[in-house]
Amino acid sequence: MKFKIFILSVFLIPIHMVFSQNLKGIYFLDEISKTPVSSVLVVNSVENFQRNSDENGWISLQGFNFEDQKIYVSGIGYEKEEFDLSLIKKEKDFGYIFLNPKIVSIAEVQLKNSVRNNIFQTISELDIHLRPINNSQEILRSVPGLFIGQHAGGGKAEQLFIRGFDVDHGTDVSLSVDGIPVNMVSHAHGQGYADLHFVIPEFIDKVNFDKGPYFAEKGNFTTAGFVDFKTKDFLENNFAKLELGQFKTYRGVLGLNLLKNKKDVKEQSLFLATEAYFTDGYFESPQDFNRFNGMLKYHGKLNDNNFLTAYFSGLSSKWNASGQIPDRAVEAGTIGWFGAIDDNEGGKTSRYNFTVNLKSYLNNGGKFTNQIFYSKYQFELYSNFTFFLNDPINGDQIRQKEDRNLYGFNSTYEKSIQLLGLKSETVAGIQLRYDEVNDLELSRTKNRTITTEALKFGDVNEMNLGAFWSQKISLNSNFDVTPSVRFDYFDNQYNDKLLNQKLKSNSNIFSPKLRLNYRLNDQVQLYSYFGKGFHSNDTRVAVLENGKKVLPPALGTDFGGIFKLGEKLILQSAIWYLWLDQEFVYVGDEAVVEEGGKTERMGIDIIARYEIYKNWFADFNLSMAKPRSLNVPADENFIPLAPKLVSTGGVTYRKETGFNGSLRYRLMGDRPANEDNSVVAKGYFVWDGTINYTTKKWELGVSVQNIFNVKWKETQFDTESRLYNESQSISEIHFTPGTPFFGKLSYTYFF
């Protein structure tokens, strides 16, 4: 009998091993929703295999030693588990593992090296899980160190601040949604204009961000950093949401699955997302703001090797605005804190996006991703910053307008290989973007109807071709080096319809980069990054300069680490330096070019996440910077409006059902408003809060912005202006008042 068992074992063990070895990879799925789980970390017993699941929940087992069948799986928001590959569900040459969702515990969060993770991914995963994004402004506030300000009604893109930059509306930070660029080149209002209002917050799935010019796949505008938003591929539940707030504020959101899941594994999805938003706002003159959003998205598995994602989304919005008001008018009692000098500002905008993305898993273990996208974008904005300075009779109202077609293609190849006996991963790709901007206009107007003077009017055609290569080399299980390089080519054409001129230019730039990551142990990861980046300049500038000095380089370095201190504290800190060859931008409000010269910024970032007690979490973000202009006298080297100190943080109580809530603060320190710091933009400190009660069928919530109803200036500028009854102009702070106490009630029904 023993001999028969021995003979049977001799035959069964090889069969068992061959069967396991034939597994190409594993799909990780949520046990409840049956949908893919990304960012799952898989480690074998000796930790020489570490890999993270992608957005389809897929992990390739190429290079896995099948002599040991055990794998250890962990993911933020899921139970940490051990699996035997011989016992998992299999289909053909891949397997399925189902993970049990749970409220995250920081004690279970592990710091491991992985191929695709950036240093902030753990922080981002924690934040999304604990503090879901509930409004359009929180989309950007979810990024530590990124501040926003609104100064022309809710329909205009927010002003952005990060790492000592007032990046206006996006000049030095690149934003994208599902691979579609948000920043607009050669925009009517200014270079890099990034309007994120076409995204419905409830359908954000991931926020991937990092800081500095260190990432080869990121090109234009990535000097201070980048933020990539990914929308959901699957909708867990149908839902309808209604919000009612002060100042005649109403908002409705609908999410509706159009395909039913008939399998244990949800392999495809089609859902509809819509949003309608109305408000008069808190200004004395009603904003009459309305915004409509919609998205129809498909995601599905075509076959064993190919996944297709396609969607159409649309935004339409219009609003009135009270603009920026001067200190002297408020102090004299001419207008109130929420009043206006010219309440005939405002605008309208629309954006319609279409994208198709095909992700293919190749037989050699590589991954090939191809995406095409198209955006139809229209913009019309009326502003008045100087009132009667330039035109004492009609006033200084301006119109900025454009009609844009944006075309693009992204292609990326990823492959794990052996390089000189070392584990390595190649990531290479090409990116093509073409902007066709028609009737790009800057005009002086009166009451939005009468054009008094045309300042700029023409068509822009701008093409950006980028290619990048990155090679991550693991010198051992704890230390990796990633050299990379990027090349960008720009072709700029401007048809000046006022001067009847057609101008052309081209330019290019190489951007080498190097990243070093060292895992000291399970509690400490250290890193040092070095890189060159850039931001392009408006085509109307590039053609005048004949393509020379219009891609000013930025050189940066970061030294930092992420630390697990004890069981319940995660800390990320960095010291950084960034040098810019030229802050050279087109000022859309005046149709002029400003050369800021060489600048440098240095600073410290600190990010902390702490589990106070079961279900209680605290977070803290602090960014301190010293921005300075170079080659100018020391008493005149301040960079106007560049932030020196910003901080956000709060306390969150999080459970799957029952009461949930958070109390959060925003702190912006004082900033110089001009080059010699004789005019100061005052900082502010504001508290916000949210309380929800959640069941499986419905959720009731109350949120309050500016709980203590403090008076604060959201955006500020040192502007020279003249009021109608003034004989001379005055230069002083002009500001947009921040939100007063603003309460809102919401109800969500799940079905």
Side-chain angles (χ1 to χ4, degrees), residues 689-712:
T690 302
I691 298 176
N692 297 317
Y693 186 83
T694 306
T695 71
K696 292 184 177 180
K697 281 292 185 181
W698 55 267
E699 180 178 79
L700 183 66
V702 177
S703 65
V704 176
Q705 296 182 42
N706 193 1
I707 293 173
F708 300 106
N709 199 29
V710 300
K711 277 189 173 182
W712 59 292

Side-chain angles (χ1 to χ4, degrees), residues 249-486:
T249 301
Y250 311 96
R251 180 172 180 260
V253 183
L254 175 68
L256 190 63
N257 278 305
L258 302 179
L259 288 178
K260 292 185 178 181
N261 180 32
K262 298 180 180 180
K263 298 182 179 180
D264 292 338
V265 178
K266 195 169 185 179
E267 294 185 341
Q268 63 177 347
S269 168
L270 176 67
F271 68 81
L272 175 69
T274 61
E275 175 196 42
Y277 180 67
F278 308 88
T279 186
D280 275 348
Y282 49 84
F283 296 91
E284 293 176 9
S285 298
Q287 285 190 11
D288 192 25
F289 174 41
N290 64 70
R291 180 178 72 224
F292 299 94
N293 266 318
M295 178 171 68
L296 182 66
K297 184 172 184 178
Y298 172 82
H299 176 80
K301 183 178 180 180
L302 301 181
N303 52 45
D304 291 346
N305 289 24
N306 294 283
F307 287 79
L308 179 71
T309 303
Y311 71 74
F312 171 81
S313 69
L315 158 74
S316 177
S317 177
K318 65 178 181 177
W319 68 96
N320 299 319
S322 295
Q324 300 150 28
I325 56 178
D327 276 345
R328 63 186 183 275
V330 177
E331 293 168 359
T334 306
I335 61 173
W337 185 262
F338 298 106
I341 300 297
D342 181 358
D343 63 358
N344 200 29
E345 300 186 36
K348 59 183 179 180
T349 187
S350 63
R351 179 168 183 171
Y352 301 93
N353 306 298
F354 175 73
T355 182
V356 177
N357 185 305
L358 179 64
K359 189 176 295 290
S360 302
Y361 299 94
L362 307 180
N363 292 331
N364 66 355
K367 184 163 59 175
F368 193 30
T369 305
N370 291 282
Q371 177 189 23
I372 58 172
F373 60 84
Y374 167 75
S375 293
K376 177 65 175 179
Y377 174 78
Q378 293 180 313
F379 175 85
E380 184 174 0
L381 180 69
Y382 293 87
S383 308
N384 190 346
F385 304 108
T386 53
F387 311 124
F388 292 92
L389 176 65
N390 299 306
D391 189 337
I393 299 174
N394 297 304
D396 296 349
Q397 186 183 84
I398 59 172
R399 176 175 61 232
Q400 296 165 318
K401 188 176 180 180
E402 67 168 66
D403 184 350
R404 178 185 303 250
N405 294 296
L406 168 60
Y407 309 87
F409 171 69
N410 297 319
S411 182
T412 305
Y413 177 73
E414 305 171 48
K415 177 74 165 61
S416 296
I417 62 173
Q418 289 287 322
L419 184 64
L420 300 177
L422 300 173
K423 290 184 178 180
S424 181
E425 182 184 80
T426 301
V427 181
I430 57 172
Q431 298 162 344
L432 177 66
R433 170 178 179 164
Y434 180 74
D435 289 75
E436 177 189 58
V437 192
N438 299 308
D439 298 333
L440 185 57
E441 175 189 356
L442 173 63
S443 299
R444 298 199 185 281
T445 57
K446 181 179 180 180
N447 297 327
R448 295 198 190 186
T449 56
I450 302 172
T451 301
T452 59
E453 182 183 5
L455 300 176
K456 286 281 185 178
F457 187 64
D459 299 332
V460 162
N461 295 89
E462 180 171 331
M463 188 269 288
N464 175 203
L465 176 63
F468 64 90
W469 166 80
S470 176
Q471 194 71 47
K472 179 175 179 177
I473 305 168
S474 298
L475 301 180
N476 55 47
S477 60
N478 294 321
F479 184 44
D480 61 75
V481 179
T482 308
S484 58
V485 67
R486 180 180 180 90

